[in-house]
């Protein structure tokens, strides 16, 4: 017992100490009112390195938009002066970004951070161990499948959750396609927790698990996620090498074969939205695509979890044209966000991706839909930007509790209606 207590007092720095620091870095939110202001901000990004949070890049900046970004400490004054000169409305979300990073993780605990917890952010090593343990403890309800490896050779474990019986309807869920969006993997773990703890107790959940299978990929972008813990908390892409460039990584949510490279993606390996050398050039995207295609006969829904913005979106992102089943997609999304709102009053925006957030090509949800998965959705979890990617751990429980209701709502619809 004494050893456990002492371990619980291990300094946070030993568990989470990224090499890159953001001391003195400010995070701005700019509320653009005119086309001229939007153009000014786009031009600024060409001469000052802006670290975009929302939207993902300068390409997506338009008037009547709220833009979140950080700048290096030495450029804070320059950027602030330009915003004021151009009468742009802004607020500073973080006056010192490093403080936000340091405070995201709650340090007080009665047991060490290396032990898995559903109300804390967990390292990949801890999550990987958990995937094994959750199966050992719930072998009749959960199984683990290795579906491939990442660019850096880490195993990609998929959990199949549901009564292990005959082939039936299934839903594929992935989290952590963007490395810095930590609340996303936390939800996938929470979902499995709810399934294993409440099977036989929660009538709705039990019915779903008896009649459907949920394929849950707790972290899609494992290499990038590891990198956010060890090197750079705000890393977004995967960690593949790009021949001919010193810049690493590809945006996996621009790498799927859905109008790949056609809109709001970049062919510059240094860009945050680099789409890769070709469609599904990245091992992680290829592994997911292969598994989905091999199981397409049973897969009736695809759910991908991101952060942040509090949105629920559906195809298409690569065109403003409405999806053939737009009305059905919209009705299911409305029911899901209505269910989500009943817990804490969180008000999600919902709609077609291209118009609800911004146009994108190569995204996983569009690709899944085009493969024939009728119910394909992307969640942007909490919050609306006060914390953004640095959502503190005390938000994990409420975020996951409300999101569970949305997922159950979608799953129920799929169970009843999907052929």
């Amino acid at each position: 017992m004494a050893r456990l207590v002492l371990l619980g007092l291990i300094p946070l720095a030993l568990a989470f100490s990224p090499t890159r620091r953001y001391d003195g870095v400010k995070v701005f939110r700019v509320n653009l009112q005119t086309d001229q202001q939007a153009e000014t901000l786009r031009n600024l990004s060409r001469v000052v390195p802006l670290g975009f949070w929302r939207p993902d890049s300068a390409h997506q900046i338009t008037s009547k938009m709220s833009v979140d970004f950080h700048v290096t400490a030495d450029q804070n004054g320059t950027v602030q002066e330009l915003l004021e000169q151009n009468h742009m409305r802004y607020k500073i979300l973080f006056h010192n970004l490093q403080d936000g990073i340091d405070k995201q993780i709650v340090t007080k605990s009665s047991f060490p951070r290396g032990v898995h917890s559903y109300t804390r952010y967990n390292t990949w090593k801890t999550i990987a161990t958990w995937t094994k343990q959750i199966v050992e403890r719930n072998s009749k309800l959960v199984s683990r499948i290795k579906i491939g490896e990442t660019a850096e050779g880490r195993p990609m474990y998929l959990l199949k959750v549901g009564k292990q019986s005959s082939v039936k309807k299934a839903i594929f869920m992935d989290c952590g396609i963007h490395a810095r969006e930590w609340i996303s993997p936390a939800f996938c773990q929470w979902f499995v927790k709810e399934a294993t703890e409440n099977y036989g107790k929660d009538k709705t959940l039990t019915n779903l698990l008896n009649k459907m299978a949920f394929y849950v990929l707790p972290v899609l972008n494992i290499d990038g996620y590891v990198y956010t813990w060890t090197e750079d908390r705000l890393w977004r892409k995967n960690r593949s090498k790009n021949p001919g460039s010193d810049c690493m990584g590809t945006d996996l949510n621009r790498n799927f074969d859905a109008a790949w490279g056609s809109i709001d993606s970049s062919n510059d390996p240094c860009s945050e939205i680099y789409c890769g050398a070709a469609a599904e050039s990245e091992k992680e995207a290829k592994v997911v695509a292969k598994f989905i295609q091999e199981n397409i006969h049973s897969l009736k829904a695809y759910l991908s979890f991101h952060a942040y913005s509090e949105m629920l979106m559906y195809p298409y992102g690569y065109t403003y044209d409405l999806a053939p089943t737009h009305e059905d997609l919209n009705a299911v999304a409305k029911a899901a966000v209505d269910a989500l709102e009943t817990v804490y009053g969180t008000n999600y925006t919902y709609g077609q991706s291209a118009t609800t957030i911004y146009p994108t090509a190569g995204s996983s949800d569009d690709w899944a839909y085009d493969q024939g998965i009728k119910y394909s959705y992307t969640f942007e979890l909490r919050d609306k930007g006060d914390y953004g990617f640095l959502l503190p751990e005390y938000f994990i429980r409420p975020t996951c509790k409300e999101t569970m209701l949305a997922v159950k709502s979608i799953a129920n619809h799929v169970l009843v209606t999907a052929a």
Side-chain angles (χ1 to χ4, degrees):
M1 179 64 70
R3 177 176 172 78
L4 181 60
V5 172
L6 288 173
L7 284 172
L9 297 177
I10 290 176
L12 175 61
L14 296 181
F16 176 60
S17 53
T19 301
R20 181 175 179 180
R21 294 186 59 82
Y22 289 85
D23 297 292
V25 172
K26 291 183 179 180
V27 180
F28 291 87
R29 167 169 293 170
V30 182
N31 295 310
L32 300 171
Q33 303 297 310
T34 66
D35 291 338
Q36 180 60 48
Q37 288 180 345
E39 180 62 24
T40 298
L41 196 56
R42 284 193 294 268
N43 290 336
L44 175 64
S45 71
R46 298 185 182 102
V47 294
V48 175
L50 304 182
F52 285 99
W53 289 34
R54 184 181 62 181
D56 299 329
S57 71
H59 301 292
Q60 299 152 344
I61 295 175
T62 62
S63 61
K64 309 300 181 183
M65 172 184 280
S66 177
V67 181
D68 300 347
F69 60 87
H70 71 260
V71 293
T72 57
D74 61 327
Q75 296 286 354
N76 283 334
T78 300
V79 170
Q80 200 163 343
E81 183 178 354
L82 183 140
L83 297 178
E84 292 171 356
Q85 287 176 349
N86 287 273
H87 308 290
M88 297 189 197
R89 299 175 183 175
Y90 72 91
K91 65 183 290 188
I92 298 175
L93 301 178
F94 291 94
H95 287 269
N96 182 358
L97 181 53
Q98 189 61 44
D99 285 344
I101 292 172
D102 293 340
K103 292 176 181 177
Q104 182 181 28
I105 293 180
V106 178
T107 58
K108 294 181 180 180
S109 175
S110 59
F111 56 95
R113 183 158 288 279
V115 176
H116 188 275
S117 170
Y118 293 105
T119 56
R120 297 192 307 189
Y121 295 117
N122 296 293
T123 65
W124 166 245
K125 182 178 179 180
T126 302
I127 294 171
T129 301
W130 165 81
T131 63
K132 180 181 179 181
Q133 293 173 341
I134 201 75
V135 173
E136 292 172 347
R137 296 168 184 167
N138 304 274
S139 59
K140 294 183 179 180
L141 195 63
V142 186
S143 59
R144 186 175 80 161
I145 311 162
K146 179 184 174 182
I147 58 173
E149 294 184 345
T150 66
E152 294 183 337
R154 292 184 174 90
M156 296 177 67
Y157 294 124
L158 184 71
L159 296 177
K160 182 180 180 182
V161 186
K163 291 298 287 183
Q164 309 300 305
S165 56
S166 59
V167 175
K168 49 195 165 185
K169 296 178 181 179
I171 294 177
F172 188 97
M173 298 166 50
D174 65 54
C175 292
I177 195 170
H178 290 141
R180 62 193 178 184
E181 298 167 8
W182 283 9
I183 188 62
S184 170
F187 173 73
C188 269
Q189 294 160 70
W190 185 278
F191 176 86
V192 178
K193 174 191 82 74
E194 288 292 296
T196 54
E197 291 182 359
N198 292 304
Y199 179 77
K201 301 174 185 177
D202 180 313
K203 184 177 180 180
T204 299
L205 190 57
T206 301
N207 186 52
L208 289 171
L209 294 169
N210 280 338
K211 298 178 180 178
M212 301 181 71
F214 293 83
Y215 292 106
V216 182
L217 188 59
V219 185
L220 197 163
N221 181 7
I222 299 169
D223 297 342
Y225 185 71
V226 170
Y227 198 74
T228 62
W229 281 82
T230 59
E231 299 294 333
D232 184 351
R233 175 61 189 85
L234 294 179
W235 186 260
R236 170 184 168 91
K237 301 185 288 182
N238 76 346
R239 293 295 300 165
S240 62
K241 295 180 180 178
N242 294 311
S245 174
D246 292 332
C247 295
M248 297 279 289
T250 290
D251 183 346
L252 295 175
N253 206 40
R254 299 293 189 278
N255 192 237
F256 285 82
D257 194 8
W260 176 83
S262 63
I263 185 171
D264 192 54
S265 56
S266 173
N267 58 9
D268 177 5
C270 297
S271 170
E272 293 276 42
I273 55 170
Y274 176 54
C275 61
E280 293 170 20
S281 60
E282 304 309 295
K283 291 181 71 173
E284 297 89 347
K286 193 174 296 183
V287 163
V288 170
K290 182 174 183 290
F291 181 86
I292 288 176
Q293 288 169 331
E294 289 176 347
N295 293 274
I296 197 69
H297 62 284
S298 63
L299 288 171
K300 305 304 177 184
Y302 171 82
L303 308 178
S304 187
F305 297 87
H306 295 239
Y308 58 96
S309 285
E310 298 176 6
M311 295 177 175
L312 179 56
M313 298 172 291
Y314 50 81
Y316 286 113
Y318 63 73
T319 176
Y320 289 108
D321 294 342
L322 299 183
T325 58
H326 172 83
E327 294 301 325
D328 194 16
L329 285 166
N330 192 69
V332 173
K334 182 183 186 305
V337 300
D338 285 348
L340 183 152
E341 188 176 9
T342 61
V343 193
Y344 302 103
T346 308
N347 184 16
Y348 267 51
T349 302
Y350 65 96
Q352 179 187 5
S353 296
T355 54
T356 302
I357 191 165
Y358 39 71
T360 57
S363 63
S364 61
D365 59 347
D366 280 354
W367 176 84
Y369 185 80
D370 285 343
Q371 296 301 302
I373 300 178
K374 181 178 179 181
Y375 297 101
S376 183
Y377 292 96
T378 290
F379 283 79
E380 293 282 353
L381 302 177
R382 290 198 192 188
D383 58 4
K384 290 187 181 294
D386 289 341
Y387 294 101
F389 304 124
L390 306 181
L391 193 70
E393 287 182 323
Y394 53 79
F395 283 106
I396 293 176
R397 182 185 296 275
T399 301
C400 292
K401 285 184 68 175
E402 66 190 13
T403 308
M404 274 297 301
L405 293 185
V407 171
K408 286 164 69 174
S409 174
I410 294 171
N412 264 321
H413 184 86
V414 171
L415 179 61
V416 172
T417 64

